[in-house]
Amino acid sequence: MEIKRIKKQLSAACGCGGVRLALNYYMYCDSLDGREPPCEAIKACEERFHRLLGAWLEGEETEAELLDLRQAVMAEMEKVTSYTDSFQAYEYVLNRLEARFEPGPAGQAEPGTDELTQECMDFITKGKDARTVNERIQLVIAQLPVRLTRQKFFSMVEEGMSVYKGGPAEGLRDMLYILRSQALLMQPKEGTAGYEKLFDFLTAFKKADYRELSREEYGRLSRELGEATECLISRSDSCMQLMDLINDLYLLSIARPQVMVEAGQEQYLKKFLKTLLACAQKGRGMGDEEEDLLYEMEGKQEAYFEQWMQYSLSETALSAADEEEKRLADIYRRVEKLMSGSPFAELEPKRSEKDVADAAMVREALNCLFEEISAVWKDEPRAVVRAVMAGILSSLPVFFSSLEDVREYVRNSLLSCADESERTASARMLRAVMEE
């Protein structure tokens, strides 16, 4: 193993992580003036971060506590995600009811099946590359009416998940987590501290009779959906912002002791962070004089990141011969995850007996998923099941073998929807998505 190359990479990561921490912490402090107070759980995590940053600046060991704090924020984000996925399903349902209560402008004809199908295909095929085309296919699928038998739906999921055969088992697990969340298998069962109001909203949506929904009930649910969405966006943003800060401080705590850095540069960084910490503890942003410290960092993050990307190491280069080399290789792998741009990535991936997802593993995982779905969906209204199906199909890797298959799916989805108001609402949603 090339220890010098690893240390060079860790040095670049420290430079990038330090500047990124300073800039993100500056943005955090800048947002303190006039912001709505966070919920108690997020507030407690923020206070722990301030304390740990102060300890790190004083040279104390913070690695274990930062990992614990990271897990706490991940747990909070999981709660936010479970509520978000639930409300997105009910948003789909309400959107399909909109035309029943909110008719379009007088004299405006709704598009026919062939016309709307062609509009969708024009939108899809105007993608500049294969990735954009696939993203547009997923956007269209998410808004189409769903009229599938459960068996047909399961076979489509199977087709989409076939791409994981022969790939990393970790990728399969990540996708299954997304599907379980989309399928409402992770819906909150009770209103935990700080989530009581959101749980009450969710309960109201669960109890609603969507076939006989009145205009008044529709209006009330729409208002509650708007309030819940605003709350969840705020909490999600707070968790993302806090996790970025934790990740960079953790990166510095594990990588900085392994490398040499310019003394003047480190002194400047710590001075800036101490200034920001004082502002954060007072609950205010920075003044003009303090903001002048920011200009010293212009352009440095990009330079460090370019160095990191230029000399990235393969797994072969990390093969270790002794304990010291194994220790450095382990640090490098964790730093690589922290530099990946995925703030909630597991730093120590869960390993199974197989690291590759073979056909048997995929089949077993899907059988378990389908059994869970069948059990939970027994008590769900048809409108909600259709919403969940649309969400899951739009989350899967694109499973169509040709654009003609996409056209056929779009056309059949529109033709099979006999509910005129739902079809009208879907047409409106499709056009709104395509215009954006």
Side-chain angles (χ1 to χ4, degrees):
M1 184 175 72
E2 301 181 50
I3 291 180
K4 286 184 179 179
R5 285 184 64 195
I6 288 185
K7 290 195 172 185
K8 186 174 183 178
Q9 281 296 88
L10 293 180
S11 180
C14 283
C16 184
V19 175
R20 197 166 56 188
L21 172 61
L23 295 177
N24 285 338
Y25 203 36
Y26 167 81
M27 294 298 293
Y28 167 82
C29 291
D30 192 52
S31 71
L32 293 176
D33 291 330
R35 77 162 182 169
E36 289 290 324
C39 67
E40 287 301 315
I42 293 176
K43 182 181 177 182
C45 288
E46 289 180 351
E47 290 173 351
R48 284 179 68 186
F49 175 78
H50 301 324
R51 179 177 61 78
L52 290 173
L53 175 59
W56 181 79
L57 289 169
E58 295 301 321
E60 296 179 25
E61 173 61 49
T62 58
E63 180 179 339
E65 285 193 79
L66 282 168
L67 279 178
D68 186 62
L69 176 57
R70 194 173 187 272
Q71 288 301 123
V73 177
M74 289 179 76
E76 196 64 25
M77 192 63 173
E78 283 186 5
K79 292 180 189 176
V80 171
T81 300
S82 67
Y83 275 98
T84 299
D85 288 334
S86 298
F87 282 115
Q88 281 180 344
Y90 293 117
E91 180 181 24
Y92 179 101
V93 175
L94 290 188
N95 285 341
R96 269 68 201 161
L97 295 174
E98 182 182 17
R100 187 192 301 177
F101 304 107
E102 305 290 343
Q108 179 177 314
E110 296 298 333
T113 297
D114 290 341
E115 179 187 353
L116 187 54
T117 299
Q118 189 58 49
E119 286 182 27
C120 290
M121 294 309 299
D122 289 343
F123 167 71
I124 288 168
T125 55
K126 283 179 182 176
K128 295 180 180 179
D129 50 43
R131 179 179 178 181
T132 306
V133 168
N134 286 342
E135 288 173 352
R136 291 187 173 205
I137 290 172
Q138 290 172 319
L139 285 172
V140 168
I141 290 175
Q143 302 305 331
L144 286 168
V146 176
R147 294 294 186 276
L148 299 171
T149 64
R150 196 167 296 181
Q151 200 54 45
K152 175 62 176 175
F153 168 72
F154 286 161
S155 70
M156 293 172 77
V157 173
E158 237 180 298
E159 183 67 28
M161 293 295 287
S162 65
V163 300
Y164 290 95
K165 294 176 184 177
E170 187 178 356
L172 173 64
R173 287 191 292 269
D174 289 344
M175 192 64 214
L176 287 169
Y177 175 87
I178 292 171
L179 297 185
R180 294 186 76 256
S181 188
Q182 287 274 5
L184 304 185
L185 302 180
M186 299 166 65
Q187 266 196 332
K189 300 296 188 293
E190 59 181 351
T192 54
Y195 289 82
E196 295 87 353
K197 192 171 185 179
L198 286 171
F199 186 76
D200 289 343
F201 287 166
L202 195 57
T203 301
F205 275 96
K206 288 180 180 179
K207 292 181 177 179
D209 182 352
Y210 296 104
R211 288 182 297 181
E212 304 295 333
L213 202 67
S214 68
R215 179 182 291 275
E216 290 72 22
E217 289 173 309
Y218 172 80
R220 176 179 58 80
L221 290 174
S222 295
R223 289 190 296 274
E224 290 180 354
L225 177 65
E227 188 175 338
T229 300
E230 187 176 334
C231 173
L232 289 167
I233 289 174
S234 175
R235 293 189 185 191
S236 176
D237 288 347
S238 294
C239 287
M240 291 284 289
Q241 186 180 49
L242 185 53
M243 187 60 95
D244 283 337
L245 295 173
I246 294 167
N247 284 342
D248 283 327
L249 184 56
Y250 180 70
L251 186 157
L252 292 175
S253 76
I254 62 173
R256 172 61 191 88
Q258 319 307 322
V259 298
M260 299 292 291
V261 297
E262 185 184 335
Q265 174 187 315
E266 180 160 293
Q267 288 172 2
Y268 179 83
L269 173 64
K270 289 189 172 183
K271 177 184 177 182
F272 188 39
L273 289 172
K274 284 180 180 178
T275 303
L276 291 171
L277 178 58
C279 292
Q281 290 173 330
K282 293 174 183 175
R284 66 172 182 84
M286 297 179 70
D288 293 338
E289 183 178 334
E290 294 158 324
E291 287 181 1
D292 290 340
L293 293 168
L294 193 64
Y295 299 121
E296 292 276 337
M297 297 191 177
E298 284 188 1
K300 290 187 176 179
Q301 181 181 337
E302 292 79 5
Y304 285 125
F305 188 73
E306 187 176 326
Q307 181 184 335
W308 165 264
M309 293 299 294
Q310 185 176 359
Y311 299 107
S312 60
L313 302 172
S314 66
E315 190 61 34
T316 303
L318 296 174
S319 55
D322 57 36
E323 289 303 314
E324 176 62 14
E325 290 181 349
K326 288 179 182 178
R327 187 184 67 82
L328 277 175
D330 177 65
I331 290 172
Y332 179 84
R333 291 187 186 97
R334 281 181 282 164
V335 168
E336 192 173 35
K337 289 283 186 73
L338 294 164
M339 293 287 287
S340 69
S342 301
F344 292 89
E346 289 284 354
L347 302 183
E348 299 292 342
K350 298 175 182 176
R351 295 194 175 274
S352 62
E353 292 181 4
K354 298 178 181 177
D355 289 330
V356 175
D358 58 20
M361 179 186 289
V362 175
R363 161 52 44 201
E364 182 181 356
L366 288 178
N367 284 341
C368 292
L369 176 68
F370 295 158
E371 285 177 12
E372 285 187 83
I373 286 175
S374 297
V376 170
W377 285 5
K378 285 179 182 178
D379 301 322
E380 291 291 349
R382 186 176 299 175
V384 175
V385 171
R386 289 170 176 168
V388 173
M389 285 183 174
I392 289 175
L393 292 177
S394 67
S395 298
L396 289 170
V398 172
F399 47 85
F400 300 102
S401 58
S402 68
L403 286 173
E404 194 53 42
D405 286 348
V406 178
R407 180 188 293 275
E408 184 179 355
Y409 179 81
V410 173
R411 190 170 186 277
N412 288 341
S413 295
L414 295 170
L415 279 175
S416 62
C417 180
D419 186 327
E420 195 59 38
S421 63
E422 181 183 351
R423 190 187 179 287
T424 298
S426 293
R428 291 179 188 174
M429 294 299 300
L430 281 166
R431 282 183 159 176
V433 165
M434 292 187 287
E435 286 171 6
E436 288 178 5

Short mmCIF file of all heavy atoms in Angstrom, two decimals, residues 176-210:
data_model
loop_
_atom_site.label_atom_id
_atom_site.label_comp_id
_atom_site.label_asym_id
_atom_site.label_seq_id
_atom_site.Cartn_x
_atom_site.Cartn_y
_atom_site.Cartn_z
N LEU A 176 -34.22 -1.40 -1.56
CA LEU A 176 -35.33 -2.01 -0.81
C LEU A 176 -35.82 -1.08 0.30
O LEU A 176 -37.02 -1.01 0.58
CB LEU A 176 -34.89 -3.36 -0.21
CG LEU A 176 -34.74 -4.50 -1.22
CD1 LEU A 176 -34.04 -5.68 -0.56
CD2 LEU A 176 -36.10 -4.92 -1.76
N TYR A 177 -34.89 -0.36 0.92
CA TYR A 177 -35.28 0.62 1.94
C TYR A 177 -36.19 1.68 1.33
O TYR A 177 -37.22 2.06 1.90
CB TYR A 177 -34.04 1.26 2.55
CG TYR A 177 -34.34 2.38 3.53
CD1 TYR A 177 -34.57 2.09 4.87
CD2 TYR A 177 -34.41 3.70 3.11
CE1 TYR A 177 -34.88 3.11 5.77
CE2 TYR A 177 -34.72 4.72 3.99
CZ TYR A 177 -34.94 4.42 5.32
OH TYR A 177 -35.25 5.43 6.20
N ILE A 178 -35.82 2.17 0.14
CA ILE A 178 -36.63 3.18 -0.54
C ILE A 178 -38.01 2.64 -0.86
O ILE A 178 -39.03 3.30 -0.63
CB ILE A 178 -35.92 3.65 -1.83
CG1 ILE A 178 -34.65 4.42 -1.49
CG2 ILE A 178 -36.85 4.51 -2.69
CD1 ILE A 178 -33.77 4.74 -2.69
N LEU A 179 -38.07 1.42 -1.38
CA LEU A 179 -39.35 0.83 -1.75
C LEU A 179 -40.24 0.58 -0.53
O LEU A 179 -41.46 0.81 -0.58
CB LEU A 179 -39.13 -0.49 -2.51
CG LEU A 179 -38.40 -0.38 -3.85
CD1 LEU A 179 -38.36 -1.74 -4.55
CD2 LEU A 179 -39.05 0.66 -4.76
N ARG A 180 -39.65 0.12 0.57
CA ARG A 180 -40.44 -0.12 1.78
C ARG A 180 -41.01 1.20 2.31
O ARG A 180 -42.15 1.25 2.78
CB ARG A 180 -39.59 -0.80 2.86
CG ARG A 180 -39.15 -2.21 2.49
CD ARG A 180 -38.42 -2.91 3.62
NE ARG A 180 -39.35 -3.37 4.64
CZ ARG A 180 -39.53 -2.80 5.81
NH1 ARG A 180 -38.84 -1.73 6.15
NH2 ARG A 180 -40.40 -3.29 6.67
N SER A 181 -40.22 2.25 2.22
CA SER A 181 -40.70 3.55 2.68
C SER A 181 -41.82 4.06 1.77
O SER A 181 -42.85 4.54 2.25
CB SER A 181 -39.53 4.54 2.70
OG SER A 181 -39.90 5.76 3.30
N GLN A 182 -41.63 3.91 0.46
CA GLN A 182 -42.66 4.34 -0.49
C GLN A 182 -43.94 3.53 -0.32
O GLN A 182 -45.04 4.03 -0.54
CB GLN A 182 -42.14 4.15 -1.93
CG GLN A 182 -41.09 5.14 -2.37
CD GLN A 182 -41.69 6.42 -2.92
OE1 GLN A 182 -42.90 6.60 -2.89
NE2 GLN A 182 -40.85 7.31 -3.40
N ALA A 183 -43.81 2.27 0.07
CA ALA A 183 -44.96 1.37 0.18
C ALA A 183 -45.75 1.57 1.47
O ALA A 183 -46.69 0.82 1.75
CB ALA A 183 -44.48 -0.08 0.10
N LEU A 184 -45.38 2.56 2.26
CA LEU A 184 -46.03 2.87 3.55
C LEU A 184 -45.80 1.79 4.59
O LEU A 184 -46.57 1.66 5.56
CB LEU A 184 -47.54 3.10 3.37
CG LEU A 184 -47.95 4.19 2.36
CD1 LEU A 184 -49.47 4.38 2.39
CD2 LEU A 184 -47.25 5.51 2.66
N LEU A 185 -44.73 1.00 4.41
CA LEU A 185 -44.42 -0.03 5.40
C LEU A 185 -43.71 0.55 6.61
O LEU A 185 -43.56 -0.13 7.62
CB LEU A 185 -43.52 -1.11 4.76
CG LEU A 185 -44.10 -1.82 3.54
CD1 LEU A 185 -43.12 -2.87 3.02
CD2 LEU A 185 -45.45 -2.45 3.86
N MET A 186 -43.27 1.80 6.50
CA MET A 186 -42.55 2.44 7.60
C MET A 186 -43.33 3.63 8.15
O MET A 186 -42.75 4.54 8.74
CB MET A 186 -41.16 2.87 7.11
CG MET A 186 -40.31 1.70 6.63
SD MET A 186 -38.84 2.16 5.70
CE MET A 186 -37.91 3.01 6.96
N GLN A 187 -44.63 3.62 7.94
CA GLN A 187 -45.45 4.71 8.46
C GLN A 187 -45.36 4.79 9.99
O GLN A 187 -45.33 3.76 10.66
CB GLN A 187 -46.93 4.50 8.09
CG GLN A 187 -47.33 5.22 6.82
CD GLN A 187 -48.84 5.33 6.70
OE1 GLN A 187 -49.57 4.49 7.23
NE2 GLN A 187 -49.32 6.34 6.02
N PRO A 188 -45.31 6.01 10.54
CA PRO A 188 -45.27 6.14 12.00
C PRO A 188 -46.50 5.51 12.64
O PRO A 188 -47.62 5.67 12.14
CB PRO A 188 -45.27 7.67 12.20
CG PRO A 188 -44.76 8.22 10.90
CD PRO A 188 -45.24 7.30 9.85
N LYS A 189 -46.27 4.80 13.72
CA LYS A 189 -47.38 4.13 14.43
C LYS A 189 -47.90 4.95 15.60
O LYS A 189 -48.97 4.67 16.13
CB LYS A 189 -46.91 2.76 14.93
CG LYS A 189 -46.45 1.81 13.84
CD LYS A 189 -47.59 1.44 12.90
CE LYS A 189 -47.17 0.35 11.93
NZ LYS A 189 -46.16 0.79 10.95
N GLU A 190 -47.15 5.96 15.99
CA GLU A 190 -47.57 6.82 17.09
C GLU A 190 -46.91 8.18 16.95
O GLU A 190 -45.92 8.33 16.24
CB GLU A 190 -47.20 6.20 18.44
CG GLU A 190 -45.71 5.96 18.60
CD GLU A 190 -45.38 5.33 19.94
OE1 GLU A 190 -46.28 5.25 20.79
OE2 GLU A 190 -44.21 4.94 20.14
N GLY A 191 -47.49 9.18 17.62
CA GLY A 191 -46.94 10.53 17.54
C GLY A 191 -45.84 10.73 18.57
O GLY A 191 -46.11 11.09 19.72
N THR A 192 -44.60 10.48 18.18
CA THR A 192 -43.47 10.67 19.10
C THR A 192 -43.28 12.15 19.41
O THR A 192 -43.82 13.02 18.73
CB THR A 192 -42.19 10.08 18.50
OG1 THR A 192 -41.98 10.64 17.20
CG2 THR A 192 -42.30 8.57 18.37
N ALA A 193 -42.48 12.43 20.43
CA ALA A 193 -42.26 13.81 20.88
C ALA A 193 -41.84 14.71 19.73
O ALA A 193 -40.89 14.39 18.99
CB ALA A 193 -41.19 13.83 21.98
N GLY A 194 -42.54 15.81 19.57
CA GLY A 194 -42.25 16.76 18.50
C GLY A 194 -43.00 16.47 17.21
O GLY A 194 -42.97 17.27 16.28
N TYR A 195 -43.66 15.32 17.15
CA TYR A 195 -44.37 14.93 15.93
C TYR A 195 -45.87 14.72 16.18
O TYR A 195 -46.57 14.16 15.33
CB TYR A 195 -43.76 13.65 15.35
CG TYR A 195 -42.39 13.87 14.75
CD1 TYR A 195 -41.26 13.90 15.55
CD2 TYR A 195 -42.24 14.08 13.38
CE1 TYR A 195 -40.00 14.12 15.00
CE2 TYR A 195 -40.99 14.29 12.83
CZ TYR A 195 -39.87 14.32 13.65
OH TYR A 195 -38.63 14.55 13.11
N GLU A 196 -46.35 15.19 17.31
CA GLU A 196 -47.75 14.94 17.66
C GLU A 196 -48.73 15.52 16.64
O GLU A 196 -49.69 14.86 16.22
CB GLU A 196 -48.07 15.51 19.05
CG GLU A 196 -47.32 14.85 20.20
CD GLU A 196 -45.94 15.47 20.46
OE1 GLU A 196 -45.52 16.33 19.66
OE2 GLU A 196 -45.32 15.10 21.48
N LYS A 197 -48.48 16.76 16.22
CA LYS A 197 -49.39 17.41 15.28
C LYS A 197 -49.34 16.73 13.91
O LYS A 197 -50.38 16.51 13.27
CB LYS A 197 -49.04 18.89 15.14
CG LYS A 197 -50.11 19.70 14.41
CD LYS A 197 -49.81 21.19 14.51
CE LYS A 197 -50.94 22.00 13.89
NZ LYS A 197 -50.70 23.46 13.98
N LEU A 198 -48.15 16.40 13.46
CA LEU A 198 -48.01 15.70 12.18
C LEU A 198 -48.73 14.34 12.22
O LEU A 198 -49.36 13.93 11.25
CB LEU A 198 -46.54 15.50 11.84
CG LEU A 198 -45.76 16.74 11.39
CD1 LEU A 198 -44.26 16.43 11.32
CD2 LEU A 198 -46.25 17.26 10.06
N PHE A 199 -48.63 13.66 13.35
CA PHE A 199 -49.30 12.36 13.49
C PHE A 199 -50.81 12.53 13.46
O PHE A 199 -51.53 11.71 12.86
CB PHE A 199 -48.87 11.67 14.78
CG PHE A 199 -49.40 10.27 14.90
CD1 PHE A 199 -48.83 9.24 14.18
CD2 PHE A 199 -50.48 9.99 15.74
CE1 PHE A 199 -49.31 7.94 14.29
CE2 PHE A 199 -50.97 8.70 15.86
CZ PHE A 199 -50.39 7.67 15.13
N ASP A 200 -51.33 13.60 14.07
CA ASP A 200 -52.77 13.87 14.02
C ASP A 200 -53.22 14.12 12.58
O ASP A 200 -54.28 13.64 12.16
CB ASP A 200 -53.11 15.08 14.89
CG ASP A 200 -52.99 14.79 16.38
OD1 ASP A 200 -52.97 13.59 16.74
OD2 ASP A 200 -52.92 15.74 17.18
N PHE A 201 -52.43 14.88 11.83
CA PHE A 201 -52.74 15.11 10.42
C PHE A 201 -52.77 13.79 9.67
O PHE A 201 -53.67 13.52 8.87
CB PHE A 201 -51.70 16.03 9.78
CG PHE A 201 -51.80 17.48 10.18
CD1 PHE A 201 -50.76 18.35 9.91
CD2 PHE A 201 -52.93 17.97 10.83
CE1 PHE A 201 -50.84 19.69 10.27
CE2 PHE A 201 -53.02 19.31 11.19
CZ PHE A 201 -51.97 20.18 10.91
N LEU A 202 -51.75 12.95 9.92
CA LEU A 202 -51.64 11.67 9.22
C LEU A 202 -52.84 10.78 9.55
O LEU A 202 -53.39 10.11 8.67
CB LEU A 202 -50.33 10.98 9.63
CG LEU A 202 -49.85 9.82 8.77
CD1 LEU A 202 -49.67 10.23 7.32
CD2 LEU A 202 -48.56 9.26 9.33
N THR A 203 -53.27 10.79 10.80
CA THR A 203 -54.42 10.00 11.22
C THR A 203 -55.68 10.45 10.49
O THR A 203 -56.51 9.62 10.07
CB THR A 203 -54.63 10.12 12.74
OG1 THR A 203 -53.45 9.67 13.41
CG2 THR A 203 -55.81 9.29 13.20
N ALA A 204 -55.83 11.76 10.31
CA ALA A 204 -56.99 12.29 9.59
C ALA A 204 -57.01 11.82 8.14
O ALA A 204 -58.06 11.47 7.59
CB ALA A 204 -56.98 13.82 9.64
N PHE A 205 -55.84 11.76 7.52
CA PHE A 205 -55.76 11.28 6.14
C PHE A 205 -56.08 9.79 6.06
O PHE A 205 -56.72 9.33 5.11
CB PHE A 205 -54.35 11.53 5.57
CG PHE A 205 -54.17 12.90 5.00
CD1 PHE A 205 -53.61 13.93 5.74
CD2 PHE A 205 -54.58 13.19 3.70
CE1 PHE A 205 -53.44 15.20 5.22
CE2 PHE A 205 -54.42 14.45 3.16
CZ PHE A 205 -53.85 15.47 3.91
N LYS A 206 -55.64 9.03 7.06
CA LYS A 206 -55.92 7.59 7.06
C LYS A 206 -57.41 7.31 7.20
O LYS A 206 -57.93 6.33 6.64
CB LYS A 206 -55.16 6.91 8.21
CG LYS A 206 -53.66 6.81 8.01
CD LYS A 206 -53.03 6.13 9.22
CE LYS A 206 -51.54 5.99 9.08
NZ LYS A 206 -50.92 5.35 10.26
N LYS A 207 -58.10 8.13 7.96
CA LYS A 207 -59.52 7.89 8.25
C LYS A 207 -60.45 8.45 7.17
O LYS A 207 -61.65 8.14 7.17
CB LYS A 207 -59.89 8.51 9.60
CG LYS A 207 -59.24 7.81 10.79
CD LYS A 207 -59.66 8.46 12.10
CE LYS A 207 -59.07 7.72 13.29
NZ LYS A 207 -59.46 8.37 14.59
N ALA A 208 -59.94 9.26 6.28
CA ALA A 208 -60.79 9.93 5.28
C ALA A 208 -61.40 8.91 4.30
O ALA A 208 -60.76 7.93 3.93
CB ALA A 208 -59.99 10.97 4.52
N ASP A 209 -62.64 9.18 3.90
CA ASP A 209 -63.32 8.37 2.88
C ASP A 209 -63.20 9.12 1.56
O ASP A 209 -63.96 10.06 1.29
CB ASP A 209 -64.80 8.18 3.26
CG ASP A 209 -65.54 7.30 2.27
OD1 ASP A 209 -64.96 6.97 1.21
OD2 ASP A 209 -66.71 6.95 2.54
N TYR A 210 -62.25 8.72 0.73
CA TYR A 210 -61.94 9.50 -0.47
C TYR A 210 -63.00 9.36 -1.56
O TYR A 210 -63.11 10.21 -2.44
CB TYR A 210 -60.56 9.11 -1.00
CG TYR A 210 -59.47 9.47 0.00
CD1 TYR A 210 -58.86 8.49 0.80
CD2 TYR A 210 -59.10 10.79 0.19
CE1 TYR A 210 -57.90 8.83 1.73
CE2 TYR A 210 -58.13 11.14 1.13
CZ TYR A 210 -57.54 10.15 1.89
OH TYR A 210 -56.59 10.48 2.83
#
